[in-house]
Amino acid sequence: MAGGRVLILREAGEGERTARRLAERGHQPLLLPLERSVELQAPAGGTGEGAVLAGFALTSARAVPPLARAFSDDLRAVFCVGGATGDAAREAGFANVHVAEGAAAGMGRMAITAGISAGETLLYAAGRRRTGTLERSLAVAGISCRIWEVYDVVPVTWSEAMVRSVLIGGPPDAVLILSVGQAEGYRRLVEAMPQLFDPAPLLLALSARIAEALPHELGVNAHIAPERNLASLFERLG
């Protein structure tokens, strides 16, 4: 699909970075953010007061700013899922950053390798919507997890006129769907404006769980990333 028109549903900042990567590969990116993140006011004691913390866990760069404010220049280990999250943690001043590429399932093993002992506790700066994968991985390793909800991801609604202005030239050739929220948002778009997505584009889902959030009639056009990262989806585009 060289030179294809690819619809990006990520929130604005992340979407722009993805757009640059697609443009470098010769594709035409189309930006239509269907979600945005909002910081949450942490409840009293949410940062782990009263607990001895061996380190921190992050699955999204969205959680970095509140963690950095609460634990400025902290030297304890920060365990991150994905290179972008790790980069954000380093840029925020954390020096002891460990990155698990692609999935939270290996977090427990990585923490043990980095010197965290069974029975110790990590503070997980998290979003309100979670899969539970990270918590289960830590539990298997015998590591306790204290959850501190610091952000939520909320849907963004677009009028038909605004969607048309993004899709000038017709339906996209492909759509990147990188979260369950984006899958749900795309379903709402197609249900409300089916004429704008006919013929149906190829859907590129970051995981099987995300693809399963699509209704069957959309899921049949979905390609699931063989590895849980953008690079593997880009390979499908050519």
Side-chain angles (χ1 to χ4, degrees):
M1 194 185 295
R5 301 167 69 250
V6 183
L7 185 62
I8 301 167
L9 307 178
R10 310 184 82 176
E11 65 176 295
E14 295 174 339
E16 289 166 2
R17 288 189 289 273
T18 303
R20 287 194 292 271
R21 292 179 62 184
L22 282 171
E24 289 169 357
R25 296 177 67 96
H27 302 292
Q28 180 185 349
L30 308 171
L31 286 168
L32 187 72
L34 292 188
E35 54 188 14
R36 64 181 179 87
S37 59
V38 293
E39 282 198 25
L40 302 175
Q41 295 298 315
T47 57
E49 294 175 12
V52 177
L53 301 175
F56 311 97
L58 300 167
T59 53
S60 171
R62 298 178 177 109
V64 171
L67 185 70
R69 287 196 297 271
F71 298 94
S72 177
D73 299 320
D74 199 291
L75 296 179
R76 284 172 287 190
V78 181
F79 299 99
C80 303
V81 174
T85 307
D87 290 343
R90 294 185 188 96
E91 291 171 5
F94 293 104
N96 189 4
V97 176
H98 304 260
V99 176
E101 290 293 345
M107 186 69 80
R109 183 172 60 255
M110 182 175 69
I112 292 293
T113 300
I116 305 298
S117 300
E120 293 191 298
T121 300
L122 297 181
L123 178 66
Y124 176 20
R128 181 161 283 169
R129 295 180 66 171
R130 300 181 296 279
T131 66
T133 302
L134 184 143
E135 297 95 308
R136 290 191 291 271
S137 175
L138 293 176
V140 168
I143 299 170
S144 298
C145 178
R146 181 157 185 168
I147 297 171
W148 177 34
E149 292 185 350
V150 295
Y151 73 90
D152 194 11
V153 178
V154 298
V156 174
T157 302
W158 292 72
S159 69
E160 183 173 331
M162 296 172 74
V163 177
R164 283 185 181 278
S165 71
V166 172
L167 298 182
I168 292 175
D173 298 304
V175 183
L176 292 180
I177 301 182
L178 309 181
S179 71
V180 168
Q182 290 173 34
E184 294 168 348
Y186 183 71
R187 172 187 56 78
R188 290 191 295 269
L189 266 185
V190 174
E191 288 176 350
M193 313 169 198
Q195 70 281 8
L196 300 185
F197 298 92
D198 185 19
L202 171 67
L203 305 184
L204 301 176
L206 193 59
S207 71
R209 175 176 171 269
I210 292 169
E212 288 166 2
L214 294 164
H216 174 73
E217 61 273 18
L218 296 179
V220 294
N221 282 327
H223 167 83
I224 300 171
E227 298 180 21
R228 202 176 186 280
N229 56 56
L230 275 175
S232 65
L233 286 183
F234 290 171
E235 288 301 317
R236 177 61 179 80
L237 288 171

